[in-house]
């Protein structure tokens, strides 16, 4: 049996809790993590029987006067086990490496597993993979400053591949995944963290990524809103069906 992990990142979708529950039931398989918007976490905690619950973000403070904030303990109390941190769509809105680092610490302190998103823009990648590796290593260093990296998951998501329909080459993504594992080795006490690929994963290209031994799963955005496509991606990951 294969243990590849598939995360459904629904982003700002769907619009109602009814639709969210319906979509979640269609994606409720072992080896899947469903990450809905915050308001649907509670309902999905009840609806999901096999998949696990993830959140798309978290605030770094534990409590207090932070209007709009969602603390790690609140997520944990709803049964959330994983939290996406530092997605490029949040970084584009002003989230810095320092903020990502604080969120990672806060999530770990509450026993949540951070899914830390890293990835370079096209302006960097066009100078080849070596430049992208330097960019990603800087993101990793600040995200993991002062923490033990063994309890985290890394999602390598080249910014230019997200939502663009233009996925990375599986071989290049696999090389980056190997680089990330090697880079983190000194921090992980031999327990290598899982590295996922994300960015325009579809039923057509999923198998090519997931067959790479260094790639431990996929972070799926757009296709996770289409249950048929998502099921095909799960099949490609050899996640057992019910
Ligand atoms: P995408 O999004 O699959 O729509 O490219 C991936 C992500 O943003 O995590």
């Amino acid at each position: 049996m294969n243990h590849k992990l598939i995360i459904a990142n629904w982003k700002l979708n769907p619009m109602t809790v009814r639709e969210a529950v319906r979509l979640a039931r269609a994606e409720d398989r072992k080896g899947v993590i469903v990450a809905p918007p915050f308001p649907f976490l509670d309902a999905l905690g009840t609806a999901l029987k096999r998949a696990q619950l993830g959140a798309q973000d978290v605030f770094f403070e534990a409590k207090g006067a932070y209007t709009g904030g969602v603390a790690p303990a609140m997520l944990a109390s709803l049964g959330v086990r994983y939290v996406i941190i530092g997605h490029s769509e949040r970084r584009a809105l002003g989230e810095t490496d320092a903020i990502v680092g604080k969120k990672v610490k806060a999530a770990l302190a509450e026993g949540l597993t951070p899914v830390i998103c890293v990835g370079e823009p096209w302006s960097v990648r066009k100078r080849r993979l070596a430049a992208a590796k330097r960019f990603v290593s800087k993101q990793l260093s600040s995200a993991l400053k002062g923490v033990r990296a063994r309890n985290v998951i890394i999602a390598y998501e080249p910014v230019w591949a997200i939502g663009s329909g233009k996925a990375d080459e599986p071989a290049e993504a696999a090389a980056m995944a190997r680089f990330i594992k090697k880079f983190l080795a000194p921090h992980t006490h031999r327990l290598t963290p899982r590295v996922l690929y994300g960015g325009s994963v579809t039923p057509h290209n999923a198998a090519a990524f997931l067959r790479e031994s260094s790639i431990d799963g996929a972070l799926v955005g757009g296709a996770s809103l289409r249950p048929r496509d998502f099921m095909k991606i799960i099949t490609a990951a050899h996640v057992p069906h019910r």
Side-chain angles (χ1 to χ4, degrees):
M1 192 174 72
N2 195 316
H3 294 285
K4 306 251 168 178
L5 197 62
I6 307 293
I7 305 183
N9 175 15
W10 290 356
K11 309 191 179 183
L12 191 57
N13 303 284
M15 292 304 122
T16 66
V17 68
R18 264 184 79 163
E19 290 170 278
V21 167
R22 197 183 321 131
L23 185 56
R25 289 202 173 118
E27 300 183 343
D28 190 12
R29 297 291 186 280
K30 268 201 176 137
V32 168
I33 297 169
V34 179
F38 289 138
F40 306 144
L41 284 169
D42 193 17
L44 262 56
T46 311
L48 292 172
K49 305 295 179 211
R50 299 169 187 80
Q52 289 183 304
L53 199 54
Q56 297 177 16
D57 191 20
V58 67
F59 191 50
F60 51 76
E61 294 291 352
K63 65 194 287 194
Y66 302 101
T67 303
V70 173
M74 297 172 184
L75 297 179
S77 81
L78 292 173
V80 171
R81 303 268 308 273
Y82 299 85
V83 57
I84 297 170
I85 296 177
H87 191 282
S88 74
E89 287 156 11
R90 300 230 54 93
R91 292 182 191 257
L93 291 172
E95 189 155 310
T96 61
D97 280 336
I99 295 174
V100 172
K102 283 198 212 181
K103 290 183 172 184
V104 168
K105 265 203 182 118
L108 284 170
E110 202 53 52
L112 300 170
T113 301
V115 179
I116 305 169
C117 300
V118 295
E120 78 291 345
W122 181 248
S123 58
V124 170
R125 180 60 173 271
K126 72 176 187 220
R127 289 188 271 128
R128 303 221 174 282
L129 200 61
K133 286 177 180 172
R134 279 194 297 278
F135 188 95
V136 164
S137 58
K138 275 193 199 131
Q139 288 181 320
L140 289 171
S141 297
S142 44
L144 294 168
K145 211 169 173 180
V147 304
R148 283 188 171 201
R150 62 161 80 186
N151 298 326
V152 305
I153 295 172
I154 307 297
Y156 171 57
E157 298 205 298
V159 176
W160 47 272
I162 296 174
S164 65
K166 190 180 175 301
D168 201 353
E169 291 297 326
E172 304 259 281
M176 180 62 93
R178 282 193 298 276
F179 168 77
I180 291 171
K181 288 175 186 191
K182 215 162 135 194
F183 181 81
L184 294 181
H187 311 273
T188 54
H189 307 272
R190 270 185 251 131
L191 243 178
T192 334
R194 279 179 286 189
V195 178
L196 316 182
Y197 169 77
S200 296
V201 173
T202 65
H204 307 290
N205 63 23
F209 286 103
L210 297 169
R211 105 166 48 100
E212 297 284 350
S213 60
S214 62
I215 297 179
D216 302 302
L219 180 48
V220 185
S224 74
L225 298 172
R226 299 184 294 272
R228 273 165 160 232
D229 283 356
F230 193 70
M231 289 313 295
K232 286 184 191 157
I233 293 171
I234 296 173
T235 307
H238 304 292
V239 174
H241 280 238
R242 56 166 141 179

